[in-house]
Amino acid sequence: MAVTHTFQTQFAVPLSCEGCVKDVSNSLYKLNGITKVEANLKDQLISVEGSAAPSAIVEAIEATGRDAILRGSGASNGAAVSILESFADQTASSEAAEKARSVRGLARMVQVNQSRTLVDLTVRGVAPGSYRATIREYGDLKHGVKSAGPVWSGGQQEKEPKGYLGTVQVGEDGRGSSFVDLPFQIWEVIGHAMVLTRQEEDLKPLDNDEDTVVGVIARSAGVWDNDKTVCSCTGKTLWEERKDEVKRGML
């Protein structure tokens, strides 16, 4: 279903003057579905309202030559994220397998009312083709996709399981994305695994191949929930953490 619901997102963006604000705002208003852009020059924040995908907003900001970090979306307890990794190298030692895993995708979720959640899914570094995106019954990733269980039913016994998220078309450059409106609430899927794969599982269970990625769905901050600028654990600024995430393959 096409996304028509509006919601708020907030991004940390390096802004040095009103000219920076104008550049970013002009770039964002070129996106379909953007209704309001507000900037806080002092706190280096851009708040956006509309129906455009968060990933598209990040790309529009980066097109101005600036970086962007999503700080929050939607209301408190109404947002989630899943970092999708490859679990292909399960024959290696646990330490080697952990080192070999790389981030291939990212799913951002925001609940817009009592029955609908928007899912913004991006993937890169996988083979071209048509991929199925699903939420699974379990969040156990000990054995990658093999321990994530079947597609999440959501209590629907006779209808198609709630866990089907649709398909993502990946191009020759190894990149793909989708932005969909789905009938579930955030609390229902927290702790479940998300899977993106080209494999068909009608005849046999899924394997951990190079083009199957999986991650656990976890809560993320709402628009006004995240005011962290320095991590209390590492002492790194959010921009230093951003560099580390990019090295890991984060989108």
Side-chain angles (χ1 to χ4, degrees):
M1 181 181 292
V3 172
T4 57
H5 294 286
T6 61
F7 57 98
Q8 282 188 304
T9 46
Q10 188 179 72
F11 301 84
V13 181
L15 303 167
S16 58
C17 63
E18 290 297 336
C20 295
V21 171
K22 184 177 180 180
D23 285 348
V24 171
S25 296
N26 288 343
S27 183
L28 290 173
Y29 277 123
K30 292 177 182 177
L31 292 176
N32 290 331
I34 297 296
T35 56
K36 182 188 295 185
V37 177
E38 294 183 338
N40 184 323
L41 193 57
K42 177 177 178 293
D43 295 331
Q44 307 279 281
L45 295 173
I46 293 285
S47 298
V48 183
E49 186 174 313
S51 58
S55 58
I57 295 172
V58 169
E59 288 184 3
I61 294 173
E62 290 178 341
T64 70
R66 298 168 178 84
D67 205 347
I69 300 175
L70 179 64
R71 304 292 283 155
S73 57
S76 296
N77 299 319
V81 65
S82 181
I83 299 171
L84 303 172
E85 299 176 294
S86 168
F87 281 73
D89 193 2
Q90 291 291 304
T91 59
S93 67
S94 59
E95 183 176 349
E98 180 71 25
K99 187 176 180 180
R101 289 214 305 265
S102 60
V103 176
R104 302 285 184 82
L106 183 66
R108 302 177 178 94
M109 302 182 180
V110 56
Q111 185 175 323
V112 292
N113 61 36
Q114 290 299 312
S115 62
R116 311 297 301 188
T117 292
L118 309 182
V119 180
D120 177 21
L121 175 61
T122 54
V123 63
R124 71 179 180 189
V126 295
S130 180
Y131 287 72
R132 289 191 321 129
T134 58
I135 295 172
R136 316 303 287 195
E137 283 287 356
Y138 315 125
D140 180 4
L141 302 188
K142 181 179 180 180
H143 301 294
V145 72
K146 292 183 177 182
S147 53
V151 177
W152 173 57
S153 69
Q156 297 188 160
Q157 304 301 324
E158 298 178 358
K159 301 179 181 179
E160 181 178 81
K162 278 189 175 183
Y164 284 116
L165 306 182
T167 59
V168 179
Q169 299 300 321
V170 175
E172 293 298 325
D173 61 355
R175 294 173 176 264
S177 64
S178 69
F179 190 38
V180 292
D181 181 345
L182 296 162
F184 59 77
Q185 298 180 63
I186 289 292
W187 67 265
E188 295 181 90
V189 299
I190 296 299
H192 290 258
M194 177 178 287
V195 170
L196 189 72
T197 185
R198 291 193 302 171
Q199 299 177 56
E200 295 292 339
E201 57 182 317
D202 295 338
L203 301 178
K204 65 175 184 177
L206 297 177
D207 290 321
N208 290 303
D209 66 18
E210 293 183 357
D211 296 312
T212 294
V213 292
V214 59
V216 173
I217 301 169
R219 288 197 182 278
S220 61
V223 167
W224 306 113
D225 292 342
N226 189 0
D227 59 0
K228 181 188 76 171
T229 57
V230 178
C231 178
S232 60
C233 300
T234 65
K236 293 181 179 180
T237 67
L238 62 91
W239 296 108
E240 290 171 330
E241 288 186 333
R242 167 70 168 170
K243 290 179 181 178
D244 291 342
E245 290 172 354
V246 170
K247 288 180 181 178
R248 288 182 58 214
M250 287 288 286
L251 304 176

